[in-house]
Amino acid sequence: MPRVLLIIAVVMLTVYCVVEVAQSRGYRVRSMPRWLWAFAVICVPVIGPISWLFLGRPVKETRQLPPTAKAPDDDEDFLRGLR
């Protein structure tokens, strides 16, 4: 029974990583090209998916939002004009 659970866990991890590699289109993948990551995840059973999780996943880019207009109660010029 533990052997079956281990095989199921490895298969689930591999499927998860294959889907994640496929969905990384448009992002900059680290270390290797995307096609090589797909090959490694599929052909190297445990090491490939674990390597993808730690070394290959795209880094989230932090986007800075443009400054937005202040609410009227936060705008000092607006509050001065009320007096």
Side-chain angles (χ1 to χ4, degrees):
M1 185 67 172
R3 185 183 309 170
V4 173
L5 291 176
L6 183 63
I7 291 171
I8 290 173
V10 168
V11 169
M12 289 176 58
L13 178 66
T14 303
V15 169
Y16 173 77
C17 289
V18 166
V19 170
E20 202 171 69
V21 168
Q23 290 180 346
S24 68
R25 176 177 274 170
Y27 294 99
R28 186 166 184 208
V29 179
R30 297 183 290 170
S31 303
M32 296 188 299
R34 202 167 58 96
W35 66 268
L36 193 55
W37 275 116
F39 180 78
V41 166
I42 293 169
C43 294
V44 183
V46 176
I47 298 170
I50 291 175
S51 297
W52 165 255
L53 292 175
F54 290 107
L55 302 174
R57 292 172 99 179
V59 179
K60 288 186 179 181
E61 296 177 10
T62 56
R63 296 182 185 174
Q64 293 186 2
L65 298 175
T68 58
K70 293 181 180 179
D73 58 345
D74 291 338
D75 190 5
E76 295 178 15
D77 294 331
F78 178 78
L79 294 174
R80 276 191 219 113
L82 290 178
R83 292 185 186 174

